[in-house]
Amino acid sequence: MPVSSAISMAPQLVPGRPIVQLEHVSKTFSNGTVALKDMTLTIGEGEFVSLLGPSGCGKSTALRIIAGLGEATTGRVEWPTMAHDATGKVERAIGFVFQEPTLMPWATVFKNVWLPLRLAGISKQAARARVMEALDMVGLASFADAYPRELSGGMKMRVSIARALVTRPRVLLMDEPFAALDEITRQKLNDDLLRLWAQFGWTVVFVTHSVFESVYLSTRIVVMAPRPGRVIDEIAVAAPSPRDLAFRTSPEYSELTRRTSQSLHSALGANDHL
Ligand SMILES: Nc1ncnc2c1ncn2[C@@H]1O[C@H](COP(=O)(O)OP(=O)(O)OP(=O)(O)O)[C@@H](O)[C@H]1O
């Protein structure tokens, strides 16, 4: 594919029906910090969207609002295709992966992954098949009886991902999940995540600081700037799957990282006067 056709403003690329829509979402914390200002974003089913931007531009705040872990001050988040309970509250079929694996050190890998099902009242026996399925997806089925202290950093993150997958979410929300890992482990987890995404067809919203990671993983990159946190650019990445070393070393990848770096640079420059 010629480089120019892989780069365009993103809206043409939205492939499926909208699964989540942020409509003019703003968030001001009680100390007066405007973490998000007027964020409008539609994410289609099956997209892999990265939120990319410098520290403090509101990426985590946006992700938490999407997850229902935080409230927007103004604006709305709509889930047009998700079920609602009897009170009209949306039943978000989501999994959330934090930057730290946040595992219970005293519990086995199995018990850590069982946690979301246990909280939903599902017994260990009834949960067994689903826990093992989730562990199998991340390649850790044989570590079910291990404790977190016996695992490497990458394996702990895999357990954390399995814990997010055990509820069989339609949308996976990931807040810089690989930032603390070494480069080789990070690339391996990038590849495994892409393979699972292609296989299971989830929608992924992925927060990152890394231009390279965002280009490698995403179908669309949403670039954000701080003070106030806002969207300043969207970049479509039309390169087909599977993405691999050939893509990582292609002229198309270089051009996309150049274009994305420029955009990130202007995100920083937008606040030079502050
Ligand atoms: N609970 C809070 N109370 C007050 N201010 C907050 C709170 N949470 C975040 N902020 C502020 O809101 C802004 C956006 O924070 P947020 O964590 O969303 O940014 P981010 O882009 O995810 O940053 P990073 O990449 O460093 O994680 C920052 O200025 C931050 O200090």
Side-chain angles (χ1 to χ4, degrees):
M1 176 188 309
V3 167
S4 57
S5 68
I7 304 171
S8 58
M9 286 301 286
Q12 307 95 299
L13 199 74
V14 174
R17 296 173 299 172
I19 193 162
V20 57
Q21 294 173 302
L22 282 75
E23 295 172 3
H24 303 289
V25 167
S26 295
K27 174 76 180 183
T28 305
F29 286 104
S30 52
N31 63 1
T33 301
V34 183
L36 278 183
K37 188 169 177 209
D38 198 24
M39 182 169 183
T40 291
L41 179 68
T42 296
I43 297 174
E45 269 178 8
E47 271 198 285
F48 195 125
V49 174
S50 284
L51 305 182
L52 173 74
S55 199
C57 69
K59 305 180 295 293
S60 298
T61 302
L63 202 69
R64 292 176 64 82
I65 290 173
I66 293 172
L69 298 171
E71 289 268 318
T73 309
T74 58
R76 300 187 318 165
V77 178
E78 298 287 342
W79 296 90
T81 63
M82 292 237 181
H84 291 69
D85 69 14
T87 67
K89 207 169 140 235
V90 68
E91 292 178 335
R92 297 175 173 88
I94 59 166
F96 199 104
V97 180
F98 298 90
Q99 181 171 352
E100 298 295 330
T102 59
L103 304 179
M104 301 178 290
W106 60 85
T108 61
V109 164
F110 183 98
K111 285 188 176 166
N112 270 285
V113 175
W114 170 36
L115 181 68
L117 299 180
R118 184 155 69 95
L119 294 175
I122 300 175
S123 74
K124 190 173 175 187
Q125 201 45 45
R128 179 166 298 281
R130 280 170 70 176
V131 171
M132 292 313 294
E133 172 192 85
L135 282 173
D136 197 38
M137 285 161 83
V138 300
L140 284 184
S142 59
F143 286 84
D145 295 328
Y147 285 85
R149 64 176 176 274
E150 300 172 69
L151 308 179
S152 68
M155 290 162 89
K156 284 182 194 152
M157 186 45 74
R158 287 175 191 276
V159 176
S160 174
I161 293 171
R163 185 181 53 195
L165 296 178
V166 78
T167 58
R168 296 185 180 149
R170 288 171 61 195
V171 179
L172 198 53
L173 304 172
M174 308 184 86
D175 193 356
E176 295 195 63
F178 308 143
L181 302 176
D182 66 82
E183 191 57 25
I184 293 170
T185 306
R186 186 174 183 153
Q187 285 186 14
K188 176 84 176 78
L189 281 166
N190 279 174
D191 286 337
D192 288 352
L193 177 61
L194 279 183
R195 183 177 44 76
L196 290 169
W197 170 71
Q199 189 178 347
F200 292 95
W202 311 307
T203 307
V204 181
V205 187
F206 188 96
V207 166
T208 181
H209 280 110
S210 164
V211 167
F212 299 102
E213 188 170 60
S214 67
V215 172
Y216 190 64
L217 292 174
S218 316
T219 55
R220 181 161 54 129
I221 303 166
V222 174
V223 184
M224 298 177 68
R227 295 185 295 278
R230 64 203 186 281
V231 174
I232 60 155
D233 198 7
E234 292 193 20
I235 299 161
V237 183
S241 297
R243 295 189 184 165
D244 51 18
L245 191 61
F247 175 56
R248 228 187 254 282
T249 51
S250 66
E252 180 187 355
Y253 180 78
S254 306
E255 179 54 22
L256 281 158
T257 54
R258 191 193 58 77
R259 157 88 169 85
T260 308
S261 297
Q262 267 178 352
S263 190
L264 192 59
H265 191 70
S266 40
L268 292 162
N271 293 284
D272 276 353
H273 59 289
L274 294 175

